[in-house]
Amino acid sequence: MKIKTYANKIIEIDLNDLSENSNLLALPALIVPHVHFRVPGAEHKEDWQTGARAAVAGGYTTVIDMPNNNPPVINYAGLMEKKKIINEQLKRSGLPLNYALYLGATKNNWTEFEKCAQQIAGIKLFMGASTGNLLVDKKEDQEKIFAEAARLNLLVAVHAEDEATINNNKQGLFHSVIRSREAAIKAVSQALELAKKYKTKLYLCHISTAEEINLVAEAKKEGVTVYAEVTPHHLFLNENDYDRLGTLGQVNPPLRTIKDNQALWQAINDGLIDIIGTDHAPHTLKEKAKPYPNSPSGVPGIETCLSLLLNACHESKITLNKIVELTHDNPQKIFNLPKNNDLVIVDLDLKKEVKNENLKTKCGWSPFVGRALTGWPVAVIINNKIKKL
Ligand code: DOR
Ligand code: ZN
Ligand code: ZN
């Protein structure tokens, strides 16, 4: 079967059992620099067999995984141990998923950065506590991290929520009030100040408010090397979804307002956002069913992101070019990943509902359940092999 590629070439692929009516297009397989595949320590939520299946089902063949594991990945030995386990699990999955890892920052492990530099995609810094026990909330400790990363030309990916602001809000009843927009704005502005001071490459994970976008725009204008990520849940969900989702919608940083959704879309189309990252953060339904605040924060997203974006493309919210730029071209360049020939074949006209029973993630649920989306991945070419979905 002949399929048009995104680069306007025609390629021949053996997909003959697909419907004649399908509107197929081959895109570069997606890359996501922000997932939590839970190894080691929380394999009951996800492991690299289920994670790899979920990634490929979503059109991704490259992921960069976060270090907030148990134990957290904060030194060379931990990094090597994690790689060994991942390689074993991927072998069993039969999927040659490309991956890279972050090293987690603690208040005094910057001395480990140099040893790990060749083995990692960057340093991950939690300025506010989230899942796991990684936290560096004192500015003097953050300074050392930014300085040493800059010296080694390592990127620092930041979970930017200000711990002190969150703690001051602890008497609040709602997640979006406790982890307020001010907490995110304050931490982003501090991270930008440090990146500017030390000339560190800064990757801002999950920008969620209009104010953060303004700070990013300003910093970019001043020449700070800063990259901004948005997640599908901050684009496609907002505080109104708590009624339907309850703690399934609990995520850090929290869901915001419709106005913030709109500001994020505007920022995408203004060229201020560099990457759409999934922040795939699976937790079991049983864990999520605990009463707040004992319920964990995080939502899965790797299987639905591309389809949500293709559906948004039908609604003229985003172009196909932009999707490829934010889910492939930019992550490949920013993280300096080796180029590959991996493709995702999408059927732009295929309409399907998101159903929990169709998901490959071990957690088995999606905050987007019930949405009818038009545009789905139907096959992936990974390492020159076709995997039909
Ligand atoms: O909601 C979140 N979940 N935010 C994070 O920063 C971590 C993530 C997780 O690992 O569960
Ligand atoms: Zn985060
Ligand atoms: Zn995350």
Side-chain angles (χ1 to χ4, degrees):
M1 164 179 257
K2 289 188 167 39
I3 297 180
K4 200 172 82 180
T5 72
Y6 166 73
N8 267 325
K9 282 191 283 186
I10 303 289
I11 51 171
E12 185 80 41
I13 301 180
D14 175 23
L15 281 173
N16 285 326
D17 53 342
L18 281 183
S19 141
E20 288 292 311
N21 305 328
S22 45
N23 181 6
L24 301 182
L25 180 69
L27 305 174
L30 278 62
I31 300 171
V32 56
H34 190 166
V35 301
H36 300 265
F37 279 0
R38 306 301 190 199
V39 168
E43 291 84 352
H44 65 288
K45 301 175 197 262
E46 196 80 282
D47 60 43
W48 282 72
Q49 284 199 67
T50 53
R53 277 185 221 133
V56 169
Y60 290 85
T61 64
T62 306
V63 304
I64 309 184
D65 188 60
M66 290 296 175
N68 57 332
N69 304 119
N70 187 12
V73 180
I74 53 174
N75 56 37
Y76 186 81
L79 195 65
M80 291 303 116
E81 177 63 18
K82 178 168 173 175
K83 277 197 179 185
K84 201 177 105 202
I85 308 172
I86 291 173
N87 291 343
E88 284 164 10
Q89 294 188 356
L90 282 181
K91 207 168 175 186
R92 261 182 268 144
S93 80
L95 291 168
L97 192 72
N98 306 295
Y99 75 89
L101 302 177
Y102 292 95
L103 183 75
T106 70
K107 65 179 195 294
N108 51 21
N109 78 335
W110 52 273
T111 47
E112 286 285 317
F113 293 4
E114 187 159 11
K115 251 188 275 173
C116 299
Q118 298 307 313
Q119 308 286 335
I120 53 178
I123 304 295
K124 174 66 183 285
L125 164 62
F126 283 89
M127 296 173 83
S130 193
T131 302
N133 58 7
L134 286 172
L135 172 66
V136 184
D137 59 346
K138 300 275 171 302
K139 196 169 180 192
E140 62 264 31
D141 299 325
Q142 296 167 355
E143 303 245 7
K144 288 192 204 117
I145 293 162
F146 273 77
E148 181 66 353
R151 188 180 75 79
L152 298 165
N153 197 27
L154 281 170
L155 169 150
V156 178
V158 173
H159 179 109
E161 288 186 286
D162 183 62
E163 183 69 6
T165 308
I166 297 168
N167 284 332
N168 283 338
N169 292 338
K170 277 272 155 79
Q171 76 291 351
L173 292 176
F174 297 110
H175 194 60
S176 292
V177 172
I178 297 170
R179 300 188 80 110
S180 61
R181 57 196 304 121
E182 289 74 24
I185 297 159
K186 184 161 182 217
V188 160
S189 99
Q190 183 154 317
L192 285 167
E193 182 193 320
L194 292 172
K196 192 169 158 184
K197 177 168 173 188
Y198 294 103
K199 299 196 167 49
T200 318
K201 276 191 278 181
L202 173 63
Y203 183 83
L204 290 171
C205 296
H206 41 52
I207 287 293
S208 62
T209 64
E211 294 91 326
E212 290 164 87
I213 295 163
N214 293 338
L215 292 172
V216 169
E218 229 170 87
K220 286 194 178 214
K221 232 187 264 162
E222 289 175 25
V224 179
T225 308
V226 56
Y227 307 107
E229 173 197 86
V230 294
T231 68
H233 44 276
H234 292 116
L235 285 170
F236 294 97
L237 299 173
N238 55 59
E239 288 171 5
N240 299 338
D241 290 290
Y242 283 133
D243 285 347
R244 178 176 58 89
L245 292 171
T247 52
L248 294 182
Q250 180 192 332
V251 64
N252 301 334
L255 302 179
R256 307 287 190 197
T257 65
I258 294 180
K259 273 203 173 144
D260 291 305
N261 294 150
Q262 287 161 349
L264 295 177
W265 282 112
Q266 187 64 46
I268 284 179
N269 291 308
D270 289 346
L272 291 168
I273 303 300
D274 298 280
I275 288 183
I276 296 176
T278 61
D279 197 1
H280 177 78
H283 297 284
T284 65
L285 283 169
K286 194 171 161 205
E287 291 162 337
K288 279 292 208 178
K290 291 182 188 170
Y292 185 81
N294 298 324
S295 43
S297 295
V299 295
I302 203 163
E303 285 171 83
T304 42
C305 186
L306 175 56
S307 191
L308 285 162
L309 292 174
L310 293 173
N311 189 71
C313 194
H314 284 287
E315 295 171 348
S316 304
K317 280 185 151 162
I318 190 168
T319 63
L320 265 182
N321 283 355
K322 210 36 161 182
I323 295 177
V324 172
E325 183 190 328
L326 299 188
T327 62
H328 173 271
D329 300 353
N330 286 349
Q332 191 269 323
K333 278 184 239 158
I334 292 168
F335 290 89
N336 206 7
L337 298 166
K339 292 196 172 166
N340 62 42
N341 300 321
D342 293 352
L343 294 172
V344 53
I345 320 289
V346 300
D347 181 347
L348 294 170
D349 293 344
L350 178 62
K351 193 169 174 175
K352 258 192 334 190
E353 197 182 296
V354 177
K355 291 194 173 144
N356 287 347
E357 59 267 32
N358 292 341
L359 298 171
K360 308 282 187 218
T361 173
K362 198 182 270 190
C363 74
W365 62 275
S366 163
F368 303 104
V369 68
R371 283 204 194 197
L373 301 174
T374 306
W376 284 87
V378 292
V380 165
I381 297 183
I382 177 165
N383 205 9
N384 299 314
K385 285 212 186 81
I386 298 179
K387 171 102 181 87
K388 288 181 194 166
L389 302 174

